Amino acid sequence: PSTLFFLYPILIFNFTDSSRIWLIFSIVSLLGSFYLLYKIKKTSVFVLSLISLAVALSFPFKFTLGMGQINFFILLLLAYFLYLFKKGKLGWAGIFLSLATLIKIFPAIFLFIPIFLRKWKTIIWFLIILFSILIFIKGELVIYYFRGIFIPLFINPYGGVYYNQSITGFMSRINAPDFLIIIFRMIIFIYSIYFIFKNKNNLLLSFSVLLVSVLMINNFTWQHHLIFLLIPYYFLVSGRQSTFISCFLVISYFLVAVNIKNPSVYQYTLYGNLLLSHGFFGVLILWILMIVRGNKIIKIK
């Protein structure tokens, strides 16, 4: 419900003008995200241009823009959180992470990082902003949201719907039993938390691994959610890695970026259902690359 506060200003315009304003705002948010990521970890103009072109051609970018999703703004807020946290502006980092959480709840997972690092100022300001805005929302609306929308999102299975590229979607497409989904989710999440704790002083690596693991084990990860992978891809591409790793990065991004226009054609065979899980495999490859290479890929000075 708190998202309504952010959308309220464009209500003064008609639908057509609001759509145009939102489109411009989304593009500006994406460009702002690129700028902040560049400030965090500089790279060459060629690499930056290459990443920008790859994003613009990807289906998650088109899907997010075409649907009017708020993902680009969340991406900007997360990039700002990273930038401020790395600069040591811990209070402001907490504020921007809280704003992202007020729009979409999943950014709250990144509190693991300041918790592991014992950066209490970030956590305190996160909570101050969160509750300061929530008190202005009617209790009935909050209760309705959690009962009718939020909880069902995590309880109801979304099956093998093509646009769901999480582990749930993959397992459902190959008719795997539910207990396997639970086991694989637990393995990925627990190992990711362990890995992050072990590398807690490497902010970019910790954030990227946590982001990728959440997208992978979520009950649903629509293809437009994959636009958040810009952050780990940027840090990986802007760093130095072997030709072998670079090849797998290209494969991973290709699997994430493509779209199958007629998914129903492929739903009747095991091969077809594996093909429809291309986004999941792309995210899985990305997660493995970060786990295997670790600090050798991402270096923070």
Side-chain angles (χ1 to χ4, degrees):
S2 51
T3 307
L4 299 174
F5 287 114
F6 298 92
L7 299 176
Y8 184 78
I10 64 174
L11 291 179
I12 62 175
F13 303 98
N14 60 51
F15 181 80
T16 301
D17 291 339
S18 295
S19 299
R20 291 169 179 168
I21 292 171
W22 187 252
L23 182 67
I24 295 171
F25 179 71
S26 296
I27 296 296
V28 170
S29 296
L30 178 62
L31 294 175
S33 301
F34 269 114
Y35 174 75
L36 289 169
L37 294 176
Y38 177 78
K39 293 286 286 184
I40 296 170
K41 192 176 193 327
K42 288 183 169 55
T43 187
S44 66
V45 175
F46 173 75
V47 172
L48 189 62
S49 301
L50 192 63
I51 296 173
S52 302
L53 178 62
V55 170
L57 294 175
S58 70
F59 180 70
F61 167 80
K62 298 173 185 177
F63 198 13
T64 298
L65 209 60
M67 289 186 66
Q69 287 287 337
I70 204 168
N71 297 334
F72 291 125
F73 187 45
I74 301 295
L75 186 67
L76 178 64
L77 292 174
L78 292 177
Y80 232 131
F81 161 72
L82 275 175
Y83 174 76
L84 293 167
F85 197 87
K86 188 171 183 293
K87 291 294 183 181
K89 299 179 180 180
L90 303 180
W92 282 104
I95 291 173
F96 278 91
L97 184 60
S98 185
L99 292 175
T101 303
L102 284 163
I103 298 173
K104 283 196 173 184
I105 296 176
F106 91 89
I109 194 73
F110 298 115
L111 274 179
F112 272 115
I113 295 173
I115 288 173
F116 287 159
L117 293 173
R118 298 182 181 180
K119 303 298 184 182
W120 308 120
K121 189 174 182 179
T122 299
I123 299 169
I124 290 171
W125 274 103
F126 173 90
L127 296 174
I128 288 174
I129 298 301
L130 188 72
F131 290 110
S132 296
I133 293 182
L134 288 179
I135 60 175
F136 291 101
I137 303 173
K138 290 183 178 181
E140 302 84 24
L141 184 59
V142 174
I143 293 172
Y144 165 77
Y145 172 76
F146 277 94
R147 284 183 178 177
I149 300 175
F150 180 74
I151 294 177
L153 284 176
F154 290 91
I155 294 179
N156 297 334
Y158 285 85
V161 179
Y162 169 58
Y163 295 109
N164 182 9
Q165 291 296 321
S166 69
I167 193 171
T168 305
F170 165 63
M171 290 293 195
S172 297
R173 279 187 280 274
I174 63 173
N175 297 315
D178 292 341
F179 76 89
L180 274 182
I181 300 177
I182 297 173
I183 290 174
F184 278 110
R185 271 177 164 172
M186 290 180 63
I187 291 173
I188 293 169
F189 184 72
I190 292 173
Y191 187 79
S192 294
I193 294 300
Y194 162 76
F195 184 83
I196 291 164
F197 181 76
K198 191 174 71 171
N199 296 274
K200 58 187 176 183
N201 291 319
N202 194 329
L203 174 62
L204 306 184
L205 176 62
S206 299
F207 185 93
S208 297
V209 169
L210 192 53
L211 174 60
V212 173
S213 63
V214 168
L215 289 175
M216 190 161 43
I217 67 174
N218 198 11
N219 202 30
F220 61 95
T221 296
W222 309 132
Q223 281 179 290
H224 60 77
H225 292 148
L226 299 180
I227 195 65
F228 296 122
L229 293 176
L230 168 62
I231 294 176
Y233 276 125
Y234 176 87
F235 291 134
L236 289 172
V237 173
S238 60
R240 291 183 179 180
Q241 54 270 347
S242 65
T243 303
F244 178 80
I245 294 296
S246 298
C247 289
F248 273 96
L249 266 177
V250 172
I251 293 171
S252 170
Y253 189 77
F254 175 78
L255 293 173
V256 166
V258 298
N259 174 58
I260 297 175
K261 292 185 178 180
N262 297 307
S264 58
V265 176
Y266 304 94
Q267 291 176 343
Y268 306 104
T269 64
L270 177 60
Y271 166 78
N273 284 315
L274 291 175
L275 183 65
L276 293 178
S277 301
H278 58 83
F280 167 75
F281 289 120
V283 177
L284 178 61
I285 291 172
L286 180 60
W287 183 79
I288 292 173
L289 287 177
M290 289 188 293
I291 294 297
V292 172
R293 296 292 295 172
N295 292 322
K296 294 181 180 179
I297 292 181
I298 304 174
K299 298 178 181 179
I300 303 177
K301 296 181 179 180

